[in-house]
Amino acid sequence: MKRRDCFIVNLICLFICSAGASFLATPPQSALVVAFEDTYELSLLANTLSDQGIDTTLIVPSTANIYENLVEVEVLKIFYEESFKPEANALKACEQLLSDKKILKRVRELQPTFTIFPSIRHDACLIPWVKSIKSIPVLWTLGSNEEIYTFLQTGSAIPINNEGFMITMISTVKDKLFIYSIRNNYIYPALKLVSKYLPNIDITLENLYQDVELILWGNDVVFNTNFAPLTELVVEVGCFHCRGVQALPDDLQKELVELRSGTIVSLLDEIHSSLMVELAKKLPQGRQGQALVWRQKNITLETKPENLFVHEKVDRQDLIGYPRTRVLLCHCEETELLEAAFHGTPVICFPRNFAEKKNALNGLKLGFIYSTEGDYSIDRIQGSVNEIHNSAMYRENARKVSLALRDRPTPAMDRLVFWLKYIGRIKTEADNFLLPVKNIHTYGEVWQFFYGTVVGTMLSVFITMLYFATRFAANNERQHKSRGKYKS
């Protein structure tokens, strides 16, 4: 009996100790990723979460471009007629999501622990919607405009301006006007839709971000040092999807090995088809030639050079990181640049907008992007490919950037998963000590205010003195003329 009693007591003690030590245990979690825009990047995020054992569901428009190799990610699509204006599309997607009872039923069955979505053209719709399904809102931000909007709206980071006073002032005014435009064209109409479909949710512009406690920053500090986070809950997860290279399809691998001078990889749009054909023709041919692999699914070529290979299903990371790849031709979106930098591959950029031009400029400063100076003729592109192929400088710079991305205490994917689980553990806490400080002011802001006040005062005094001096001179001139008139 004594041994039995001791055994029971030991079991009870073990149970109590296990219960007391389980406050850091993570309950089963599930994620819902919603994207009206940036669907490819957020589908990569959904796939990464699924790979880490988190049940993940993705909601995107019916015509969205998503990652081709999703594994165990449920995709729910919303249908609406698209227009050319992004705000109009976002409002249509919002109304369709709020009114779709099938999606709402499925989401309530899933009971997602957290819901991840971009802030710009998503926040006013999805934050109230996430509150109605009792999930944890998590913001995703990627790109210069999105970063400015997210960090200024939440107060979670401050911009770092290393330009002069006037450029800083112009940039600040530009940012304020951008946010003002988003508020008028999206936030206020979206809040009206929310009040129509979710009348029991009390959300206003003032308390919109009250429940947001985690921001996933999709960029990397190697490329972007324009913001200083004010809280640990701004988590940099730039290369969360970057991974080692997997084998290419057997047929493609065989063709590429036979062309011994290496491989050129292209991720360009279908409008560059003539450029791809001409470039392949101008590359060295035969067994000692170069291969051009174009990852494109919307193109069919009736005739093409023997060294041009068009594939639609091969993963672009396997092409970018392929050991024989010499250079990458792309538009320089953020995720494309991150993958190229991670695998140490030099890049030639074909930017389509201001954001991609800015990305190209950042990569140019790091030395692994070749600048064509706006000349995208076939002769210039061929010369650029040859120069990168024959020079070790670009590949060496790319290797250094790759090392900077990889040589971290914790990989981006581990940071992503850790902070999501952290938020899942503390969701019942009343106070979160990691939330950003409100109404923060920096020394630079105070100095700029003082400097602006002094300059403004001096300028006002100078203009006032100039005004009175001009008026005094004019009065003297009139008096002088009047005296001369009377003397005559």
Side-chain angles (χ1 to χ4, degrees), residues 170-276:
I170 293 173
S171 178
T172 302
V173 172
K174 182 181 177 181
D175 296 343
K176 295 293 184 182
L177 291 176
F178 173 71
I179 293 178
Y180 178 78
S181 174
I182 294 295
R183 285 183 178 180
N184 285 337
N185 296 326
Y186 171 74
I187 290 184
Y188 292 131
L191 289 177
K192 290 182 180 179
L193 288 175
V194 169
S195 63
K196 174 183 177 181
Y197 290 98
L198 302 174
N200 297 326
I201 303 298
D202 182 20
I203 293 289
T204 62
L205 181 61
E206 289 72 22
N207 67 358
L208 184 60
Y209 289 93
Q210 183 177 357
D211 297 329
V212 175
E213 297 183 354
L214 182 63
I215 299 173
L216 302 178
W217 189 5
N219 214 318
D220 194 281
V221 293
V222 172
F223 292 98
N224 193 335
T225 56
N226 297 329
F227 295 93
L230 301 176
T231 167
E232 285 192 73
L233 295 184
V234 175
V235 184
E236 181 266 300
V237 294
C239 218
F240 65 89
H241 64 291
C242 297
R243 56 167 176 78
V245 179
Q246 298 177 2
L248 297 175
D250 294 338
D251 57 340
L252 180 60
Q253 172 74 18
K254 180 177 181 298
E255 297 285 354
L256 296 184
V257 169
E258 291 180 354
L259 294 166
R260 297 176 180 176
S261 293
T263 302
I264 313 300
V265 175
S266 173
L267 304 178
L268 299 178
D269 293 336
E270 61 271 16
I271 61 173
H272 296 281
S273 58
S274 60
L275 175 64
M276 294 296 97

Side-chain angles (χ1 to χ4, degrees), residues 108-176:
R108 292 192 184 280
E109 291 174 353
L110 296 171
Q111 295 182 344
T113 310
F114 30 76
T115 303
I116 307 171
F117 54 90
S119 58
I120 189 171
R121 288 185 290 270
H122 289 72
D123 51 0
C125 176
L126 290 177
I127 291 178
W129 185 76
V130 171
K131 188 174 183 178
S132 70
I133 63 174
K134 298 180 180 180
S135 183
I136 302 173
V138 177
L139 294 184
W140 164 266
T141 181
L142 177 63
S144 56
N145 287 338
E146 181 109 5
E147 291 164 357
I148 290 169
Y149 182 84
T150 302
F151 294 142
L152 292 183
Q153 289 287 80
T154 60
S156 56
I158 56 176
I160 299 175
N161 297 303
N162 51 11
E163 305 290 345
F165 175 75
M166 290 303 299
I167 296 179
T168 300
M169 291 295 294
I170 293 173
S171 178
T172 302
V173 172
K174 182 181 177 181
D175 296 343
K176 295 293 184 182

Side-chain angles (χ1 to χ4, degrees), residues 361-384:
L361 182 61
N362 291 336
L364 186 63
K365 293 178 181 177
L366 295 172
F368 75 101
I369 287 182
Y370 184 91
S371 174
T372 62
E373 299 179 351
D375 184 2
Y376 300 106
S377 62
I378 179 60
D379 292 333
R380 184 58 186 272
I381 298 303
Q382 181 197 8
S384 304

Side-chain angles (χ1 to χ4, degrees), residues 23-24 93 98 100 128 151 199 255-256 276 289 313 324 327 362 364 369 387 396 414 431 434 470 480:
F23 71 99
L24 287 180
L98 294 175
D100 196 320
F151 294 142
E255 297 285 354
L256 296 184
M276 294 296 97
K313 294 184 179 180
R324 298 173 63 87
V327 62
N362 291 336
L364 186 63
I369 287 182
E387 183 171 346
E396 177 62 20
D414 291 348
D431 296 318
L434 293 179
T470 305
H480 179 72

